[in-house]
């Protein structure tokens, strides 16, 4: 019931205004009439009360002599004379014993008073007073005195008939005035409310038309009041929104990306909006696309693919990205990268899908070319590393081969001169065997490096890789009087392609070796430090004391083909491949900086390479 009343009162401003003004008129006029009647009644009652007391005094004064003489005829004449006054209901004179000695109604003469008010009057103070009053009568009494001697009471009872009739007339008139005021107020309120509501409805209709047609619809209100201000502000707001809408549409239509919106709240995946690039892709005009589904516009297989992606968004409630080759109406094929995002209303109810597709065909082709170039660079880097290894082996074999040659020549000469015994021959042959075993071990180390040159991930101890690198680099480093120091956490195991890590560290060590060869430092060192930085990642730091890299070029050393060496000495691909392997293959990061450090109490300065790697890419 309360809800029904509330709905009735709040459904319309016009109704609220009319009922509000009517209610105010009812309350105000009712209060006015009530106050007027109350004051008028109070005034008339006071006048009647004064008249009653005045008549009782006259009655007391005129009956004094007749009461002392016990002249009842004279008292009757006095009573009859007072009775002729208006409003008089009853007149009586009472002696001190409470006997009625005169009355306007003769049947009460001689009787004694018995009512409570009359008895209280006999024993009350002797002055004029009102002893009783109600809506019908006023009973006033004055003492009858001879000098100061009390000889009785003179009472006059006046009726209020005339007052009540007058009050009834005033009340009726007041109600009539109230009704007229209410009717006039309602009429006035109706015209005001009608003017206001009509203006408001014009604004509402303008809003609806603007919403439905997406075109500006002005309110066209010529008012100076607050509704006029609201109307003008609304028109101004619509102008601003229209400009912003046109700007956004122009912006969206000018972008080469395909942009579209599909609705799923009340529509089964129909297109709600799209830009010019999407229309070009579909080979249709915008009006031919909007309001239709993929199945109405595309091949069944393509439409089904798009629908599955939309259903995936609805199920997972998150954005998805996919790449797909599509054919334009002119027959050209392009690779589109599409990002689809779910749209929700303020109540988090799924509305539809916003899609943005970008033509990445050129990017794809460039990436293919880049991958080819990187593969060539990688092979060049690998060949360069092999060249370094072969150079190391050649250097490592030079002295043993010289020893074998010397021993063989000596044995031959001594044999020709019969200067060698069997015991000495065996000893020299043992030396040759020992030297060839050393050469074989060198070949084994190189073969192990090549055996691990595969692209399969495996779990291995980091110390094994570092030991292999130390063996491979030892001859080249020893030849240049460079000491390789390894400070390793032997417990570190890593899941990666071992050869890629070996190639990375070999490139960095060779780079440091070349820098140290050109320096005049007495104690040349390269330090490799490894440690776990948390449960999932490790840190590898390579330091040298070659003085560091020039600040002007330090940011460029990872660029392909950038080198500070002579063309005959460097290709500029070593550090570039280090960056590619660390970031793309090993999923790590690499940084370079010049740093001062201390080793065995001596301060050095050189280049610092810091590599961060995950223990496993998974």
């Amino acid at each position: 019931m309360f809800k029904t009343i509330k709905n009735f009162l709040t459904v319309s401003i016009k109704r609220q205004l009319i009922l509000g003004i009517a209610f105010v008129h009812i309350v105000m006029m009712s209060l006015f009439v009530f106050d007027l009647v109350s004051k008028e009644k109070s005034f008339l009652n006071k006048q009647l009360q004064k008249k009653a007391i005045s008549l009782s005094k006259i009655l007391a004064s005129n009956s004094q002599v007749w009461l002392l003489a016990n002249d009842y005829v004279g008292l009757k004449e006095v009573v009859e004379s007072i009775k002729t006054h208006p409003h008089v209901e009853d007149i009586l004179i009472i002696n001190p014993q409470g006997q009625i000695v005169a009355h306007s109604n003769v049947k009460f003469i001689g009787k004694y008073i018995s009512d409570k008010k009359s008895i209280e009057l006999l024993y009350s103070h002797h002055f004029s007073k009102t002893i009783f009053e109600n809506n019908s009568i006023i009973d006033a009494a004055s003492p009858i005195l001879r000098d100061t001697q009390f000889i009785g009471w003179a009472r006059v009872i006046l009726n209020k008939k005339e007052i009540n009739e007058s009050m009834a007339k005033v009340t009726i008139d007041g109600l009539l005035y109230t009704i007229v005021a209410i009717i006039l107020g309602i009429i006035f309120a109706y015209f005001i409310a009608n003017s206001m509501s009509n203006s408001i409805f014009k604004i509402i209709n303008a809003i609806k038309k603007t919403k439905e047609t997406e075109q500006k619809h002005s309110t066209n209100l010529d008012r100076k009041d607050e509704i006029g201000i609201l109307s003008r502000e609304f028109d101004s707001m619509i102008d601003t929104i229209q400009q912003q809408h046109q700007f956004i549409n122009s912006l969206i239509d000018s972008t080469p990306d395909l942009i579209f919106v599909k609705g799923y709240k009340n529509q089964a995946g129909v297109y709600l909006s799209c830009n010019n690039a999407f229309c070009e892709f579909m080979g249709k005009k915008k009006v031919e696309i909007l309001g239709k589904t993929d199945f109405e516009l595309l091949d069944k297989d393509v439409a089904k693919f798009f629908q599955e992606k939309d259903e995936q968004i609805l199920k997972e409630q998150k954005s998805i990205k996919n790449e797909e080759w599509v054919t334009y109406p002119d027959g050209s094929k392009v690779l589109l990268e599409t990002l689809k995002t779910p749209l929700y209303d303020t109540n988090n109810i799924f509305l539809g899908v916003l899609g943005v597709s970008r033509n990445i065909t050129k990017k794809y082709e460039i990436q293919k070319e880049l991958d080819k170039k990187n593969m060539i660079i990688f092979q060049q880097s690998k060949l360069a590393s092999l060249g370094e290894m072969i150079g190391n082996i050649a250097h490592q074999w030079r002295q043993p081969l010289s020893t074998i040659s010397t021993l063989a020549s000596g044995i031959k000469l001594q044999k020709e001169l019969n200067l060698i015994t069997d015991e000495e021959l065996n000893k020299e042959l043992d030396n040759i065997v020992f030297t060839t075993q050393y050469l074989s071990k060198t070949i084994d180390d190189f073969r192990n490096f090549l055996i691990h040159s595969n692209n399969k991930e495996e779990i291995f101890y980091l110390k094994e890789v570092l030991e292999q690198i130390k063996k491979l680099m030892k001859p080249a480093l020893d030849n240049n009087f460079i000491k390789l120091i390894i400070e390793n956490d032997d417990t570190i195991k890593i899941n990666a392609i071992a050869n890629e890590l070996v190639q990375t560290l070999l490139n960095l060590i060779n780079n440091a070796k070349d820098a140290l060869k050109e320096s005049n430092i007495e104690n040349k060192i390269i330090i490799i430090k490894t440690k776990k930085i948390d449960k999932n990642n490790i840190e590898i730091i390579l330091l040298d004391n070659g003085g560091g890299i020039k600040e002007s070029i330090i940011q460029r050393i990872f660029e392909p083909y950038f080198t500070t060496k002579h063309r005959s000495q460097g290709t500029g691909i070593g550090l570039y491949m280090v960056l590619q392997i660390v970031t793309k293959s090993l999923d790590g990061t690499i940084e370079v900086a010049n740093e001062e450090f201390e080793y065995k109490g001596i301060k050095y300065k050189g280049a610092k390479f810091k590599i961060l790697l995950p223990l496993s890419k998974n």
Side-chain angles (χ1 to χ4, degrees):
M1 180 66 180
F2 176 77
K3 188 176 180 181
T4 303
I5 295 173
K6 182 180 178 182
N7 290 337
F8 175 78
L9 293 175
T10 58
V11 74
S12 167
I13 292 178
K14 181 192 289 188
R15 186 178 298 169
Q16 292 178 49
L17 185 60
I18 293 173
L19 292 177
I21 291 178
F23 177 75
V24 170
H25 273 72
I26 290 171
V27 172
M28 295 303 295
M29 290 303 297
S30 297
L31 291 174
F32 173 74
V33 171
F34 177 79
D35 183 62
L36 178 65
V37 170
S38 298
K39 289 181 178 178
E40 182 70 14
K41 186 176 182 180
S42 176
F43 173 76
L44 293 176
N45 279 335
K46 286 180 180 180
Q47 293 299 314
L48 193 63
Q49 187 179 30
K50 288 179 181 179
K51 182 177 181 180
I53 290 175
S54 176
L55 288 175
S56 68
K57 287 181 179 179
I58 293 172
L59 179 62
S61 176
N62 292 341
S63 61
Q64 175 188 356
V65 175
W66 306 110
L67 184 60
L68 288 172
N70 290 322
D71 187 346
Y72 296 108
V73 176
L75 290 174
K76 183 179 179 182
E77 291 177 355
V78 173
V79 169
E80 290 295 332
S81 66
I82 298 298
K83 190 178 179 181
T84 59
H85 286 80
H87 310 301
V88 174
E89 184 76 20
D90 284 311
I91 299 172
L92 63 157
I93 297 173
I94 306 170
N95 64 21
Q97 290 75 36
Q99 184 181 19
I100 300 172
V101 295
H103 200 289
S104 56
N105 190 343
V106 295
K107 70 179 182 180
F108 292 108
I109 297 174
K111 294 183 179 181
Y112 287 88
I113 58 175
S114 59
D115 62 284
K116 184 178 179 181
K117 292 290 183 181
S118 297
I119 293 171
E120 288 177 354
L121 178 64
L122 288 176
Y123 299 102
S124 66
H125 295 291
H126 304 147
F127 57 86
S128 297
K129 64 187 73 175
T130 300
I131 61 176
F132 178 74
E133 181 179 4
N134 60 18
N135 289 330
S136 300
I137 62 170
I138 292 177
D139 187 352
S142 292
I144 304 171
L145 302 173
R146 181 186 179 189
D147 294 331
T148 58
Q149 181 186 0
F150 172 71
I151 59 174
W153 285 98
R155 290 173 62 182
V156 176
I157 300 173
L158 303 181
N159 65 58
K160 295 184 176 180
K161 183 179 179 181
E162 189 175 330
I163 292 177
N164 290 337
E165 290 175 351
S166 177
M167 289 301 98
K169 186 176 183 304
V170 171
T171 302
I172 292 171
D173 291 343
L175 290 175
L176 289 174
Y177 292 143
T178 300
I179 293 171
V180 171
I182 292 171
I183 293 172
L184 291 175
I186 290 174
I187 294 172
F188 179 72
Y190 172 80
F191 284 108
I192 293 178
N194 196 53
S195 174
M196 291 176 61
S197 61
N198 286 342
S199 297
I200 292 172
F201 274 119
K202 284 185 178 181
I203 296 175
I204 293 172
N205 289 332
I207 293 172
K208 287 182 178 179
K209 289 180 180 178
T210 302
K211 180 180 178 182
E212 291 170 357
T213 63
E214 295 187 1
Q215 299 294 325
K216 177 187 174 182
H217 290 272
S218 300
T219 55
N220 297 320
L221 291 179
D222 185 19
R223 297 178 65 117
K224 305 299 182 184
D225 56 9
E226 289 82 355
I227 294 179
I229 295 173
L230 175 64
S231 170
R232 289 188 291 275
E233 289 297 323
F234 169 77
D235 289 342
S236 176
M237 180 187 69
I238 290 297
D239 287 336
T240 303
I241 293 174
Q242 194 77 14
Q243 291 171 4
Q244 292 176 346
H245 187 262
Q246 291 173 354
F247 173 74
I248 292 171
N249 281 342
S250 175
L251 191 65
I252 292 174
D253 282 335
S254 63
T255 180
D257 294 340
L258 282 62
I259 301 174
F260 59 90
V261 177
K262 289 199 282 187
Y264 276 95
K265 183 178 181 181
N266 299 317
Q267 307 92 353
V270 302
Y271 285 95
L272 302 178
S273 181
C274 63
N275 67 344
N276 291 337
F278 187 81
C279 294
E280 182 182 349
F281 160 68
M282 299 293 285
K284 298 179 183 293
K285 295 180 180 179
K286 190 174 289 187
V287 293
E288 296 175 318
I289 297 173
L290 301 185
K292 295 183 180 179
T293 66
D294 288 321
F295 289 96
E296 296 174 286
L297 299 169
L298 301 166
D299 292 337
K300 184 179 178 181
D301 292 339
V302 177
K304 187 176 179 181
F305 174 77
F306 288 164
Q307 187 182 50
E308 288 173 354
K309 293 298 180 183
D310 294 345
E311 290 173 353
Q312 182 182 349
I313 292 174
L314 179 59
K315 182 180 178 181
E316 299 179 3
Q317 295 188 347
K318 64 179 183 180
S319 301
I320 62 169
K321 183 186 287 187
N322 61 278
E323 295 180 2
E324 60 225 0
W325 284 97
V326 298
T327 303
Y328 271 76
D330 61 2
S332 61
K333 287 188 176 182
V334 297
L335 180 63
L336 293 182
E337 179 185 69
T338 302
L339 174 65
K340 289 186 176 181
T341 303
L343 298 176
Y344 300 92
D345 63 11
T346 53
N347 296 319
N348 205 32
I349 296 174
F350 181 69
L351 295 178
V353 174
L354 168 65
V356 180
S357 298
R358 175 165 293 177
N359 185 347
I360 59 169
T361 308
K362 289 184 179 179
K363 178 182 175 182
Y364 172 77
E365 292 171 351
I366 291 171
Q367 186 62 47
K368 281 182 66 177
E369 286 296 319
L370 185 61
D371 290 342
K372 289 180 181 177
K373 290 180 180 179
N374 282 340
M375 182 59 67
I376 294 171
I377 293 172
F378 182 78
Q379 293 299 328
Q380 290 176 342
S381 175
K382 191 172 181 180
L383 290 174
S385 297
L386 289 174
E388 291 279 354
M389 294 300 101
I390 291 170
N392 288 342
I393 290 172
H395 178 77
Q396 203 165 348
W397 276 21
R398 188 174 293 116
Q399 186 177 350
L401 287 173
S402 177
T403 301
I404 292 172
S405 177
T406 302
L407 289 172
S409 299
I411 292 171
K412 182 179 181 182
L413 180 61
Q414 287 177 321
K415 187 68 174 175
E416 290 174 351
L417 299 175
N418 293 319
L419 297 176
I420 188 169
T421 64
D422 290 341
E423 183 179 351
E424 289 174 339
L425 176 62
N426 289 333
K427 183 178 179 182
E428 295 300 329
L429 290 174
D430 287 339
N431 285 334
I432 291 173
V433 170
F434 175 78
T435 305
T436 56
Q437 287 177 345
Y438 174 78
L439 295 175
S440 177
K441 185 176 180 300
T442 304
I443 291 294
D444 287 340
D445 289 340
F446 184 63
R447 182 173 58 83
N448 289 335
F449 171 69
L450 293 177
I451 287 173
H452 284 92
S453 297
N454 58 64
N455 293 324
K456 292 183 180 180
E457 290 183 8
E458 56 184 333
I459 299 174
F460 56 89
Y461 279 99
L462 188 57
K463 68 176 182 179
E464 295 174 354
V465 169
L466 295 176
E467 287 171 359
Q468 183 181 0
I469 290 170
K470 192 171 184 179
K471 288 179 182 178
L472 293 172
M473 291 302 300
K474 187 176 186 306
L477 296 177
D478 289 347
N479 188 50
N480 291 283
F481 307 103
I482 299 171
K483 184 177 182 182
L484 178 62
I485 302 157
I486 297 177
E487 298 176 1
N488 180 50
D489 180 349
D490 293 342
T491 64
I492 295 177
K493 286 197 297 184
I494 184 170
N495 183 20
I497 300 173
N499 182 59
E500 290 183 343
L501 183 58
V502 171
Q503 187 174 350
T504 297
L505 295 176
L506 284 177
N507 277 328
L508 293 177
I509 293 171
N510 278 321
N511 196 65
K513 179 198 72 176
D514 292 340
L516 289 168
K517 281 169 62 177
E518 297 176 2
S519 69
N520 297 320
I521 299 171
E522 186 174 342
N523 297 318
K524 301 175 181 179
I525 58 173
I526 298 173
I527 301 174
I528 298 177
K529 299 179 180 179
T530 68
K531 68 175 180 178
K532 278 187 180 180
I533 56 174
D534 55 47
K535 65 179 182 179
N536 296 318
N537 299 283
I538 63 167
E539 179 183 80
I540 301 174
I541 293 177
L542 190 142
L543 290 163
D544 67 63
N545 61 343
I549 305 169
K550 292 180 180 179
E551 293 295 337
S552 59
I553 64 170
I554 195 169
Q555 300 300 325
R556 298 186 59 197
I557 63 172
F558 291 116
E559 294 178 8
Y561 304 111
F562 177 79
T563 179
T564 58
K565 304 172 187 176
H566 190 271
R567 290 182 181 274
S568 62
Q569 294 179 315
T571 62
I573 60 174
L575 290 180
Y576 172 72
M577 287 312 303
V578 166
L579 177 66
Q580 297 299 308
I581 291 172
V582 170
T583 57
K584 293 186 177 180
S585 181
L586 300 177
D587 283 353
T589 61
I590 184 168
E591 299 173 2
V592 62
N594 292 321
E595 186 171 292
E596 293 183 354
F597 63 95
E598 186 174 320
Y599 179 72
K600 289 188 177 181
I602 302 173
K603 290 184 178 181
Y604 299 103
K605 181 180 180 181
K608 173 186 175 183
F609 289 85
K610 182 170 77 172
I611 300 173
L612 296 180
L613 297 177
L615 292 175
S616 174
K617 290 198 289 184
N618 297 324

